[in-house]
Amino acid sequence: MSATTIKLSQELRQRVERLVRGTGKSMHAFMLEAIEQQTSLAERRKSFVADALAARKEANASGRGYLLEDVREHYAARAAGRPTRKLRAKKWRK
């Protein structure tokens, strides 16, 4: 594992110290956990945006998509345990 130096303002350092006091966790462990969580969140967000852009590109190329009302109905039925049919994309562009 490589070492990295991080400079914290005095205020932030005190806030972190207050939070970890009594938890049995070191400041180091707290900061590693926070960095890991933020890194995972940023990776998921990046993947979500990439998927959304790919879906938009595909929808624009095909001219097909799902009506919001159909999607709502479909998932409401599924949540209620009722049988559903597979949603079918419809042309939205002439």
Side-chain angles (χ1 to χ4, degrees), residues 3-80:
T4 300
T5 302
I6 184 169
K7 295 182 181 183
L8 304 175
S9 68
Q10 189 63 29
E11 178 194 354
L12 180 56
R13 182 181 176 85
Q14 289 171 349
R15 288 170 59 201
V16 173
E17 285 174 342
R18 280 194 304 269
L19 286 172
V20 299
R21 200 174 294 134
T23 65
K25 203 180 279 188
S26 67
M27 280 187 61
H28 177 80
F30 178 88
M31 288 186 283
L32 282 179
E33 187 177 288
I35 291 168
E36 172 61 36
Q37 287 175 354
Q38 286 300 306
T39 300
S40 292
L41 180 63
E43 288 168 342
R44 288 193 313 265
R45 186 178 297 117
K46 186 176 182 179
S47 176
F48 177 80
V49 169
D51 289 347
L53 291 173
R56 180 171 66 178
K57 184 177 181 180
E58 181 182 333
N60 285 334
S62 71
R64 298 178 65 78
Y66 301 96
L67 295 175
L68 179 59
E69 300 81 33
D70 292 347
V71 173
R72 282 185 177 156
E73 224 174 81
H74 177 81
Y75 282 102
R78 288 190 62 180

